[in-house]
Amino acid sequence: MRTTPLYAGGLVPLVLAALAACSGQPQQPAQPEEDSPYNGSDIEGAFTLPDTDFTTTEGENYNLREDSSGTTTAVFFGFTNCPDICPTTMADLGQAVDQLDEDQRERFGVVFVTADPERDDRELIDRWLGSFDPSFTGLRGPLDRTDDAAESMGISIDRPEPEERSGDYNVGHGSQVLVFSPEGESELMWDYGTEPAAMAEDVTALLAEDA
Amino acid sequence: MGRGRHAAVGTALTVLGTLAGCATAAPEIAVRDATVRVPANPDVTAGYLTLENTGGTDDTLTGVTSEAAAEVQMHDTTDSGGETRMRQRDEVAVPAGDTVVFETGGLHLMLMGPDDLRAGDTVELSLEFATSDRVSVDAVVEEIG
């Protein structure tokens, strides 16, 4: 319950920056239809997983499109220095996975892509993800490639200018989780705050369709 | 601000006065449900709590400190066109009669350089206000989720 409006100085340019960052992205998917069988927003076919190479926490090459092929995949961009949204989202995803049976778990994967590769090295991502679910895939890539991949999925990333990226800083990022089909086509979007049980229900429904 | 107005307080309660500042006049700040997350990234973790001002005068939270972290910042999560970002807050208003909740997805504390905290530990958070005396609260360290 927030009772106080944000009025700190500098907010206006910040908001403008955020708007600017969003203006180039595809239109927001429609609100979930009332008869949608899913808890998340239906974004079927709106995005395709990009053919982008990242590096896993084990140091292996991971092509976002090819290496997730055959598996229903949830993708989230975040950073480990983010204390609230990112760990909450990963913890929710971990709890959702816990609610799946073994067969479902084999057919569903979670991919975390760091939006902050300058600070998030492989070891840090590995340790961070391990506290939620060791089965999650953690990816890291160059800044430009990361931003392009995010943009192609309608996810904005907004980090401070290079000269301001020292010490503690925040990276603005889309907080939605996108779920892709085994063929790499978008299926669903979970907004921040989607309950783990709701995610598990959606995964169960998606996997049942593909069975 | 009505700072000179003193509430009549029983002798037993004055013992608690140094902690809660309840011997002073309004505002009257209560802090509850304080939690800190087990750090997933060793450099940072989040804290949450609920502030209630049961007094008759507005107050402002101006800072939080803790022995268990190098620095504690106050942040607000804002959502603009689907992009989430955090904005550091130097102060958070706690109006008279209002409850301010620090919770996931909204206002939260950011503990920088936290100790190696384990679930079940307690972390003392010290809250500084513009008007009220400092309030200390024991936050329970919890697993995320």
Side-chain angles (χ1 to χ4, degrees):
Chain A
M1 182 195 318
R2 269 170 287 163
T3 54
T4 349
L6 270 174
Y7 54 83
L11 180 68
V12 169
L14 213 147
V15 167
L16 291 177
L19 288 174
C22 294
S23 61
Q25 72 185 42
Q27 71 285 357
Q28 287 291 315
Q31 292 299 308
E33 292 170 28
E34 285 191 12
D35 59 354
S36 166
Y38 305 113
N39 298 299
S41 305
D42 191 340
I43 54 166
E44 188 178 349
F47 307 107
T48 303
L49 269 177
D51 179 21
T52 307
D53 287 324
F54 288 95
T55 305
T56 68
T57 53
E58 284 81 39
E60 311 272 328
N61 184 71
Y62 187 101
N63 182 282
L64 206 46
R65 186 171 175 81
E66 285 175 17
D67 287 299
S68 65
S69 173
T71 305
T72 296
T73 304
V75 179
F76 179 74
F77 285 76
F79 64 114
T80 75
N81 256 276
C82 152
D84 184 43
I85 299 287
C86 308
T88 303
T89 300
M90 299 318 289
D92 287 348
L93 284 164
Q95 288 178 19
V97 168
D98 285 345
Q99 294 174 29
L100 302 177
D101 65 31
E102 200 177 326
D103 173 62
Q104 290 172 321
R105 279 200 290 269
E106 279 180 17
R107 298 168 56 207
F108 178 68
V110 173
V111 171
F112 168 84
V113 185
T114 179
D116 187 20
E118 290 178 335
R119 282 185 298 182
D120 283 343
D121 60 27
R122 278 161 35 193
E123 291 74 17
L124 191 52
I125 297 169
D126 190 47
R127 174 176 172 171
W128 188 78
L129 279 183
S131 65
F132 307 111
D133 190 324
S135 77
F136 290 175
T137 301
L139 300 181
R140 181 175 180 274
L143 281 177
D144 290 355
R145 203 182 293 171
T146 302
D147 290 357
D148 288 349
E151 191 183 345
S152 78
M153 288 184 260
I155 296 171
S156 59
I157 296 177
D158 184 20
R159 63 180 70 77
E161 292 301 313
E163 60 271 19
E164 291 167 8
R165 291 206 297 271
S166 62
D168 302 314
Y169 60 88
N170 288 313
V171 178
H173 58 96
S175 59
Q176 66 271 43
V177 176
L178 300 192
V179 185
F180 291 86
S181 72
E183 294 76 38
E185 299 297 326
S186 63
E187 295 268 19
L188 292 177
M189 178 175 77
W190 292 322
D191 286 327
Y192 178 71
T194 302
E195 294 290 333
M199 294 177 176
E201 270 181 27
D202 281 354
V203 173
T204 298
L206 285 174
L207 295 179
E209 285 172 24
D210 283 332
Chain B
M1 294 289 276
R3 195 170 163 73
R5 189 155 47 91
H6 282 251
V9 177
T11 319
L13 283 179
T14 58
V15 176
L16 301 170
T18 48
L19 189 66
C22 61
T24 59
E28 198 76 40
I29 302 288
V31 184
R32 61 173 190 271
D33 303 333
T35 58
V36 168
R37 282 178 168 173
V38 173
N41 171 329
D43 296 333
V44 63
T45 194
Y48 308 97
L49 50 79
T50 297
L51 287 169
E52 190 172 7
N53 183 354
T54 58
T57 307
D58 296 347
D59 207 342
T60 302
L61 177 63
T62 55
V64 180
T65 56
S66 175
E67 294 282 320
E71 186 184 356
V72 181
Q73 298 178 358
M74 301 185 289
H75 284 262
D76 203 355
T77 301
T78 58
D79 192 76
S80 173
E83 185 188 84
T84 297
R85 60 160 44 248
M86 293 199 300
R87 176 80 190 161
Q88 189 171 352
R89 299 281 297 267
D90 293 329
E91 48 185 45
V92 173
V94 191
D98 254 5
T99 300
V100 177
V101 183
F102 282 67
E103 62 187 341
T104 182
L107 280 169
H108 56 276
L109 301 177
M110 190 163 170
L111 283 72
M112 327 290 286
D115 290 349
D116 182 18
L117 304 173
R118 306 297 169 93
D121 291 352
T122 55
V123 169
E124 186 177 323
L125 299 174
S126 182
L127 286 68
E128 195 170 350
F129 295 90
T131 305
S132 299
D133 290 340
R134 194 173 269 278
V135 177
S136 289
V137 61
D138 280 333
V140 180
V141 178
E142 295 182 342
E143 297 283 358
I144 297 171

